[in-house]
Amino acid sequence: MDAIRSCLSYCWPFSSRSTPYEALAQWDLDAGVTRMSDDQELVVFQDGAQITLTLQETGICISTIQRSGSFSRTSATVEHVPFLYVLFAGVSFSPTGRSILEFSYLTSAASTTLQLRQVSSDVSAIQGTAMLSWVSEVQAKAYKGIAPRRRFLVVVNPHGGQGKAKKLWHETIEPIFAAAGCIVHVQYTGPVSSPTNATNIARNVDLAAYDALVPVSGDGIVNELINGLASRPDALNALRIPIAPIPAGSGNALSVNIMGPAKVLDVAYGTLNAIKGQPIPLDICSVTQGNTRIYSFLSQAFGLMADLDMGTEWMRFVGGIRFVLGFLYGALTGRRYKVEITMKVVESDKRRMVEDYNTHQQSLAPSVEGKVTATDVRMPSLAFGTTESVFPLGVIHDRLETQLEPGWHTFRTSVQFIMAGKLPWLSRDSMMIPLAKNDGLIDVVMVPPRSALASLKSVDGQDEGRFIREDDCYYYKVEAYRCTPLERSGYISIDGESIPYQPFQVENHARLARIMSVETRWKGLQRIVLD
């Protein structure tokens, strides 16, 4: 009867109302008999409520019957929890020898974001082998192909997300990790020169002790972790420890690219991504200025886009809206920046790039890679040298152009901005590099000086990648480039961090790092249309 009732409940959404089974439910609540039927359905009791857990093909159907009101009426709620959202199922033993069911899961039944739910009930009345078989089957389906109880080094930026990262850790993230049985070591980040700076943490971490690094922050801490791993003597091996970012900053671009703009505000989903994600490869870029070499995983910005990133730091307290305010100010004042940029161009025809992207997306398989042991452990040497090296100028242009022959090209002109990088999303509202993918190349977007009206119009549709359709959006796929500012002062932004306003040079290293992803693919557009 319970099985029939739970199935009907799942098909007929009568949540929070009295049911035709009220008399039977009343008897069950009074009797409080924990039992199992058909090896699939488990009935337990917690805090005066009867909870029926029915094992189904794709998840657990959870029916809760609660006595309420002075007339002892009952109400029922039903939800279907996919195995992805099941965190733990097991049996523990109390000091008195009682068998206790421990079941935890995430649900969005009463919220727009995932919430932690836990069931704990005495199941001593159920035969031990049957109970252990049930929880073993649930646990196996919840972690199919994934090792449970992962070991995490959690790096919390106490100043991230307008100072909310520490609170998010204690109130949301830590309880979920505990419910999933994860082994967690926490470190709070400190100033650049301190041992607890994220770069130094990654430089000295014992790789064998953890399954992933989990930054509770924005993109700045991710950048520091990658630079710390890449600066180790065993850099290539170190970069293969996955990074599982939990969005707690103002930008959270990496998390947007993993989870999509709709889910990036859900810290619990970010936590689930760490628990159940699988490693996917991430390209990283070498950025050089003279003999200084740093690493970029996200973007390099010059001109207005760098100004609105670095020039609005004083407005960090307002959150992500500071980027919009910075853009509006730059657009209305007609900012332009003189620059020389030399690129080794592979493709400059947007239509061909879009066709290639759409073909890639249609045939895209999950980008999962197993554990790799590197024998040549140091970072690759620079194929194009540094800014001190001779760089071929190639064909020289005094304005931006497309339909270029592959090879070296130099532009000496004014621009509104240059944006380059490896991932499509720069924030949950802005997809500035929509054709970016793991193709071993760097995507470079350049926009010439524009009127205020044209600039403001370009804001519309950035969350859908429509920016690429504009005629004055020049898009290039390149192997390497060198950018030389021709102004006296300004900003250059690398992954949202400022570097000296001097010439900088960039080249890509394919698939060196690893990022955790539940969906095992980047959350770019499924298809792009130019017209």
Side-chain angles (χ1 to χ4, degrees), residues 173-200:
I173 305 166
E174 186 178 25
I176 294 174
F177 279 153
C182 297
I183 301 168
V184 175
H185 179 210
V186 185
Q187 288 200 0
Y188 292 93
T189 59
V192 174
S193 59
S194 70
T196 56
N197 172 259
T199 302
N200 291 326

Side-chain angles (χ1 to χ4, degrees), residues 495-513:
D495 293 356
E497 302 298 318
S498 182
I499 65 171
Y501 196 68
Q502 300 169 3
F504 67 97
Q505 187 168 307
V506 184
E507 67 177 78
N508 185 56
H509 309 291
R511 308 169 75 88
L512 288 192

Side-chain angles (χ1 to χ4, degrees), residues 141-162:
K141 290 185 175 181
Y143 286 89
K144 185 177 181 180
I146 301 169
R149 300 176 183 268
R150 281 177 169 165
R151 304 162 301 159
F152 295 131
L153 174 60
V154 177
V155 181
V156 180
N157 177 9
H159 305 292
Q162 306 168 62

Side-chain angles (χ1 to χ4, degrees), residues 150 211-212 242-245 258 273-274 277-280 514-518:
R150 281 177 169 165
D211 295 309
I243 294 175
I258 296 170
N273 183 74
Q278 298 192 57
I280 64 173
R514 298 291 180 270
I515 300 297
M516 283 294 194
S517 168
V518 163

Side-chain angles (χ1 to χ4, degrees), residues 445-458:
V445 177
M446 292 197 282
V447 172
R450 305 168 129 185
S451 67
L453 179 60
S455 297
L456 294 177
K457 283 183 176 179
S458 71

Side-chain angles (χ1 to χ4, degrees), residues 385-399:
T386 71
T387 51
E388 303 297 317
S389 307
V390 176
F391 220 48
L393 295 179
V395 181
I396 298 176
H397 310 264
D398 60 4
R399 60 187 177 86

Side-chain angles (χ1 to χ4, degrees), residues 280-355:
I280 64 173
L282 173 71
D283 289 9
I284 61 174
C285 298
S286 282
V287 181
T288 60
Q289 285 187 314
N291 294 322
T292 300
R293 181 181 183 182
I294 61 174
Y295 301 96
S296 167
F297 73 93
L298 177 63
S299 64
Q300 307 95 46
F302 170 82
L304 178 58
M305 301 307 290
D307 281 6
L308 71 88
D309 196 355
M310 308 315 307
T312 61
E313 279 286 315
W314 64 276
M315 292 193 293
R316 183 175 286 272
F317 67 93
V318 303
I321 192 65
R322 70 184 176 95
F323 301 117
V324 177
L325 296 175
F327 182 82
L328 293 176
Y329 174 78
L332 293 173
T333 55
R335 293 298 305 272
R336 59 175 58 205
Y337 308 80
K338 291 182 180 179
V339 67
E340 176 180 293
I341 180 168
T342 299
M343 305 183 294
K344 188 176 183 183
V345 176
V346 174
E347 183 58 84
S348 62
D349 187 306
K350 277 197 284 190
R351 291 196 176 277
R352 283 200 296 263
M353 285 185 276
V354 167
E355 289 174 3

